[in-house]
Amino acid sequence: MPHGGYEETGPREEPVIRLHRWDADWPDDDPHANFKSDVVLYGRLDPLATLRGMAENLDIPVGALARYVLARWATGGSGGLLEVGPVMVHRLWEPIAEAERQDSDSERLRAYHQLRQMIAWLKLPLDEPSVYPAQFEDGPADTTR
């Protein structure tokens, strides 16, 4: 049966997931070592303790909260892209790509400083809301003229 045990044409049952703790070894040069380490570390916790508390306080079923948390996390990358925007993602990537093309640590350091400046510019209004003048301080503009 395709897609985890249910038929495409029949009624779909809600998926059931067993939460496993995972512990493993991986090579030092594994490109996913940081993520795997996080899976092991966070796997020591019981996420249902938090979800049960939320379910009780919010009157939402635990399964609905778990589905929300998983979906929200799993789509976080695309959500981040929507927030930053594809143009800015390309602009942020340019210094990195150039430094990698030149394969130089000094160029990588230059790219870091350029990225730091770009991100500082993006977060300036978050840190200093007064940098932009308030809009419609005296109420909405008169658009009838």
Side-chain angles (χ1 to χ4, degrees), residues 133-143 145:
Q135 300 293 313
F136 308 117
E137 284 183 18
D138 297 319
D142 183 359
T143 58
R145 293 183 196 174

Side-chain angles (χ1 to χ4, degrees), residues 34-93:
N34 286 342
F35 182 78
K36 290 177 180 180
S37 178
D38 273 359
V39 170
V40 170
L41 181 65
Y42 282 93
R44 295 179 182 150
L45 304 175
D46 178 9
L48 291 178
T50 299
L51 292 179
R52 284 184 189 110
M54 289 177 68
E56 186 176 320
N57 290 328
L58 300 172
D59 195 27
I60 299 174
V62 171
L65 288 170
R67 185 180 197 112
Y68 162 78
V69 168
L70 289 168
R72 178 88 186 244
W73 186 86
T75 61
S78 57
L81 175 59
L82 288 173
E83 286 189 39
V84 174
V87 171
M88 185 53 72
V89 169
H90 288 297
R91 287 187 64 196
L92 291 169
W93 186 250

